[in-house]
Amino acid sequence: MSATAIDRRPPLAEPSVRPAARIALKPPGSTPGLLDGAWWPRSRDLLRELPALIDALAPRWGRITRVAVNPQHWPVVPRRIPVPGHVVKAGWFKDEQDPHKLLLLSYTAGRWDLLVIPPETGPAAAARLMAAATDSTGPQLTATALMTAEAAVGAAEAAVREAEPVRHDMVPLPGRHDAVPSPVPHADDTATVPHDTSAADRLQDREEAWEYEGGASSTYAATGQARPDRPLMGM
């Protein structure tokens, strides 16, 4: 009887490939605005999503050392998040920061704000939001204002889709037994959203505010000082 050889070596671990971050950034030389671009994460897990984002931004914006979010849309905000090459400190500001915005800070390079597109957003809506967040020619809107405008567009499109199956304006073509719909005007999706400014845009002192990481700093909302200028970097 021949002996059976058993391979007792542990199976080779499959290489973990981190999906590329889905981002759109304003090109160099763009007019400064309320946002520097948009980020479309795949989940609301900062430990999982932030490393890919920081890795993608590093060649453009340098070493990001701190981030801040609004906990309304982030169930867990860890104080420290390991990213390629270093650790990023995370903080949250419940009332002072736009819930749809991510703030990134580098003491050596500056500050940037990104619109956070909800992970469940469809590709078409995400593309519109990315285009709006990187547009330097139109009105400069806050992250929440952009989301509100997109919600209006989505509602109009949904209304058109719901109406299509029950429409009775099908016009038969001569010599054919099928029909084509008669022209239907499209819903107006150009509603203007009022411009507003969040308190998070009025930083008093970055160092002092960030020392309060993990919670909102009382000095954040107490000042009326304008936000500092930020360098804009491109894709």
Side-chain angles (χ1 to χ4, degrees), residues 44 70 72-74 94 97-102 116 143-144:
R44 290 291 186 178
N70 187 312
Q72 177 178 336
H73 295 303
W74 300 96
K94 186 174 182 180
Q97 182 164 333
D98 190 315
H100 296 288
K101 186 174 71 174
L102 172 72
V116 179
T144 290

Side-chain angles (χ1 to χ4, degrees), residues 3 16 24 34-35 38 40-41 46 55 58 76 78 80 89 105 117 136 153 155 160 165 200 207-208 217 229:
S16 61
L34 300 178
L35 295 169
W40 185 19
L46 273 177
D55 196 26
V76 178
R80 288 171 172 78
K89 294 182 179 181
L105 186 63
I117 301 174
S136 299
V153 174
V160 172
E207 187 72 35
E208 180 181 356
S217 169
D229 293 334

Side-chain angles (χ1 to χ4, degrees), residues 56-123:
L57 294 178
R60 304 168 175 85
W61 291 351
R63 187 184 181 94
I64 303 298
T65 55
R66 298 176 186 266
V67 299
V69 299
N70 187 312
Q72 177 178 336
H73 295 303
W74 300 96
V76 178
V77 183
R79 286 181 176 269
R80 288 171 172 78
I81 302 174
V83 301
H86 65 289
V87 174
V88 171
K89 294 182 179 181
W92 56 267
F93 299 98
K94 186 174 182 180
D95 299 322
E96 295 86 349
Q97 182 164 333
D98 190 315
H100 296 288
K101 186 174 71 174
L102 172 72
L103 186 154
L104 304 102
L105 186 63
S106 170
Y107 287 129
T108 60
R111 171 193 165 189
W112 303 273
D113 294 344
L114 296 181
L115 166 69
V116 179
I117 301 174
E120 64 275 11
T121 304

